[in-house]
Amino acid sequence: MDPEKATEPVVEAEVDVEAGMDGSGDAVSDAKASSIAEQLMQNPEVLSAIETKLAGMADVDSSPSAHMKNLPKPVIRRVKALKKLQFDMIQMESKFYEEVHQLECKYAELYAPILEKRNEIVSGEVEPTDEQCDWPSDEEDDEEAALAAETKEKLALEDVSAEDIKGVKSFWLIAFKNVDLLASMIQENDEPILEHLTNVKVQFSAEPMGFTLEFHFSPNEYFTDKVLTKSYEMRAEPDEEDPFSFEGPEIVACQGCVINWNKGKNVTVRVIKKKQKHQKSGTTRTITKEEQQDSFFNFFTPPAPELDEEEIDHETEALLQADYEIGHFIRERIVPRAVLFYTGEACEDDEDFEEEEDEDYEDDDEDDDLDPSCNN
């Protein structure tokens, strides 16, 4: 081969590069690139290779467990041993929560006398002594305390009507309305009834694991029941089909009660009157029909899943989960701390906690390296 001829293409390439550098060869280079691309796209083998490559990219598993597919068999074997240990840990954790529930049952009996004293003061059965009332107010300082002592006798003479007030009026209604979760359930027609709510108790059950909420009412014109109940059944064992999803006891079922409404006083339904005209005779008649309406007292009639259905529909499942959340909140927060929800202090504490969370979120958000999906 002639060395001079062999070097000719190299010379041409060098010329083309130099031409491209000064801008004079841009049009020629673009035309050549376009032509080459067009020829490649018309080649079936090239198209097939591109499609294969794209399909491979689409099949790439980016899930957190993707690496498990490529682990050596000895490592996979060890991971299985670790999962079995994890299962043993969950079984022990289940026993822990069972013992915690036993402690709840024990201490519920110890709390009972204190809660009964609370009920006596709220209902007005007992007037607390000066010693029992010796608790500082958040707004009270030394100067205000001195002023209160000086004017105590004067205020007692002027405020004669206060002697006619017994207990703490609307205690439970106000406590409920201070909780967004419950306030959204309480309708205008519910409030006169909830004015008669005198006490809310929690009765724990050791076997089967669960609890019952008792709502005690004074005599009223709406229903004849003195106590309305809502029972919840709990489970502390992991799910056999998905044991690793276990995060502690969960409510698995609930049961309300029948409310014996007086005639025309049922606030969970509304009566609609309709006129019907007979097609032949032309006579008219009026019929009445009841329709369900929003009310706090629907809480005592939870949705009942069909027993013959293996899986409940999403809407019923969502309603049940909301019901479980409300029952758990009443048991865990409202009943033990009712006075703090009545005064609004418990709600303020929750708001302060949320504000702190927001501040932490904003501080973390300034770090560009953080994954936004993790800031929950």
Side-chain angles (χ1 to χ4, degrees):
M1 180 181 293
D2 189 347
E4 294 182 358
K5 292 183 178 180
T7 57
E8 287 179 359
V10 177
V11 173
E12 290 178 359
E14 291 176 354
V15 171
D16 288 339
V17 172
E18 292 174 356
M21 291 176 62
D22 63 11
S24 60
D26 286 351
V28 176
S29 299
D30 291 345
K32 286 184 178 180
S34 177
S35 176
I36 293 172
E38 186 176 353
Q39 292 176 13
L40 288 173
M41 295 305 295
Q42 291 176 355
N43 188 327
E45 295 181 359
V46 174
L47 288 175
S48 177
I50 294 174
E51 290 176 356
T52 302
K53 183 66 175 177
L54 291 173
M57 293 173 65
D59 293 337
V60 173
D61 188 354
S62 59
S63 65
S65 59
H67 65 283
M68 293 294 298
K69 298 178 181 179
N70 301 320
L71 290 178
K73 289 185 177 180
V75 177
I76 293 177
R77 182 171 175 274
R78 294 167 198 144
V79 171
K80 288 184 177 181
L82 294 175
K83 292 179 78 172
K84 189 173 181 181
L85 289 174
Q86 183 65 38
F87 179 75
D88 293 341
M89 179 73 77
I90 290 174
Q91 293 290 342
M92 190 173 295
E93 186 181 6
S94 172
K95 298 297 182 183
F96 164 77
Y97 283 117
E98 288 178 3
E99 292 190 21
V100 168
H101 186 71
Q102 295 292 337
L103 278 175
E104 283 185 312
C105 295
K106 173 185 175 181
Y107 275 87
E109 296 180 2
L110 300 177
Y111 293 145
I114 301 174
L115 296 177
E116 182 56 33
K117 289 180 181 178
R118 180 180 73 182
N119 179 53
E120 290 173 350
I121 294 174
V122 169
S123 64
E125 296 178 20
V126 172
E127 184 64 29
T129 63
D130 291 341
E131 182 181 355
Q132 290 176 315
C133 297
D134 185 18
W135 186 264
S137 299
D138 292 339
E139 305 83 5
E140 193 175 72
D141 56 22
D142 294 338
E143 184 178 348
E144 290 175 339
L147 178 62
E150 292 174 4
T151 58
K152 182 178 180 180
E153 185 177 353
K154 180 180 178 182
L155 291 174
L157 293 173
E158 293 178 352
D159 196 12
V160 178
S161 60
E163 296 178 0
D164 299 330
I165 300 175
K166 291 184 178 181
V168 184
K169 184 177 173 58
S170 308
F171 179 82
W172 290 100
L173 173 59
I174 293 174
F176 281 8
K177 291 182 70 175
N178 278 338
V179 179
D180 290 341
L181 191 64
L182 299 181
S184 61
M185 298 168 55
I186 299 174
Q187 309 300 314
E188 185 177 352
N189 291 337
D190 297 326
E191 294 194 19
I193 309 176
L194 291 174
E195 292 280 3
H196 292 276
L197 181 59
T198 60
N199 200 7
V200 181
K201 296 181 179 180
V202 182
Q203 303 293 348
F204 287 90
S205 169
E207 189 62 41
M209 178 185 285
F211 62 94
T212 298
L213 300 176
E214 295 182 354
F215 296 76
H216 294 251
F217 289 84
S218 61
N220 59 81
E221 60 180 298
Y222 298 94
F223 46 71
T224 58
D225 307 275
K226 293 182 178 179
V227 181
L228 302 181
T229 61
K230 185 73 172 287
S231 300
Y232 291 88
E233 182 181 341
M234 302 175 66
R235 180 180 64 194
E237 300 84 17
D239 189 337
E240 293 181 0
E241 296 182 0
D242 186 16
F244 296 131
S245 65
F246 181 72
E247 294 182 351
E250 60 178 342
I251 297 174
V252 294
C254 65
Q255 183 177 359
C257 67
V258 175
I259 302 177
N260 296 295
W261 295 98
N262 290 327
K263 186 176 180 180
K265 297 296 183 178
N266 188 346
V267 295
T268 66
V269 297
R270 59 178 179 178
V271 178
I272 299 177
K273 294 183 178 181
K274 291 185 178 181
K275 288 186 177 181
Q276 292 183 339
K277 186 176 182 180
H278 197 278
Q279 293 181 351
K280 293 183 178 179
S281 64
T283 57
T284 60
R285 66 175 182 176
T286 301
I287 61 171
T288 58
K289 182 180 179 182
E290 289 187 347
E291 287 187 354
Q292 194 80 14
Q293 68 175 357
D294 292 338
S295 169
F296 172 82
F297 292 90
N298 288 327
F299 175 69
F300 299 97
T301 312
E306 297 294 335
L307 297 177
D308 57 346
E309 292 184 5
E310 294 184 2
E311 294 185 2
I312 61 177
D313 60 86
H314 294 299
E315 183 178 355
T316 302
E317 184 177 8
L319 290 173
L320 284 172
Q321 288 300 322
D323 187 285
Y324 297 164
E325 181 182 354
I326 293 166
H328 178 76
F329 192 85
I330 293 174
R331 162 209 163 182
E332 195 76 11
R333 298 289 305 280
I334 296 180
V335 172
R337 299 171 175 82
V339 65
L340 301 180
F341 283 98
Y342 172 81
T343 62
E345 293 169 85
C347 307
E348 291 171 1
D349 290 342
D350 290 341
E351 290 173 0
D352 292 342
F353 180 73
E354 290 174 0
E355 288 176 3
E356 290 176 6
E357 284 186 333
D358 291 341
E359 290 173 2
D360 291 342
Y361 179 89
E362 290 172 2
D363 291 339
D364 292 344
D365 197 42
E366 293 175 0
D367 190 344
D368 295 336
D369 294 334
L370 292 178
D371 182 357
S373 63
C374 299
N375 293 332
N376 293 326

